[in-house]
Amino acid sequence: RACPEGESGKMAQAQDPRQAAEMVRMLQEHCIQARTALEANPNDHTALAKWGEVLLELSMLKQGEEAVALIMQSIEKLEKSLDIMPDNHNALVVLASALNARAFLQQDPVVAQELFNEAKKNCLKALELDPTNQRYKQLLEAMEDAPQLHAQLMAQIQTQGGAQGAPKPAGDDEWFYDMVGWG
């Protein structure tokens, strides 16, 4: 599905259900707009990048396999956008955030580290293209701690008796959203 439905998820639980439902509805509308733009012009790198960004935002409203699927779709759209326009610094930094999110959902530390490295590479390229962007600099700084935070998260999950499926941060998720670039 191009634009997922539903309103369950991390951020949705923390908000008024009506606000969460409205946010999901709005993001779904943005997905439809991007898809429509791509139907008119399959090489519209801006629409692909926006679609990838919206899918990543939607993933933050979901849990489990649904969140993982949205992150994977986001990465796919962003990579297609960058195939068309490799120097789109916004698409690069959103891709870095999506890769970071995917890394945090990996239980295998080697796979997570590869994703963190790829995320950092994309963020560095975005910063090279837009060297005065403070948000990119902050995201890059936050990425330095990502592998250690991932290790702590995995240790916490293991101490709590293991995890079924992809790990999810518990309690205050603000650090997680900061790490994936949506804080």
Side-chain angles (χ1 to χ4, degrees), residues 42-101:
N43 291 320
D44 186 342
H45 67 89
T46 303
L48 278 164
K50 184 62 179 172
W51 197 353
E53 184 174 3
V54 170
L55 288 168
L56 183 58
E57 289 181 44
L58 269 171
S59 77
M60 298 299 162
L61 295 168
K62 306 293 179 177
Q63 290 183 352
E65 292 305 314
E66 190 175 10
V68 172
L70 288 167
I71 291 168
M72 297 304 292
Q73 290 173 34
S74 170
I75 291 169
E76 176 190 340
K77 302 294 184 227
L78 292 159
E79 287 176 341
K80 283 182 183 178
S81 173
L82 289 164
D83 284 345
I84 298 166
M85 177 63 75
D87 289 342
N88 181 340
H89 58 87
N90 185 59
L92 284 163
V93 82
V94 175
L95 178 58
S97 294
L99 292 166
N100 228 15

Side-chain angles (χ1 to χ4, degrees), residues 19-38:
Q19 279 184 313
E22 178 60 24
M23 181 179 281
V24 168
R25 187 194 63 71
M26 180 189 70
L27 291 170
Q28 289 170 333
E29 282 181 24
H30 289 297
C31 281
I32 292 167
Q33 291 167 1
R35 184 178 59 220
T36 302
L38 284 169

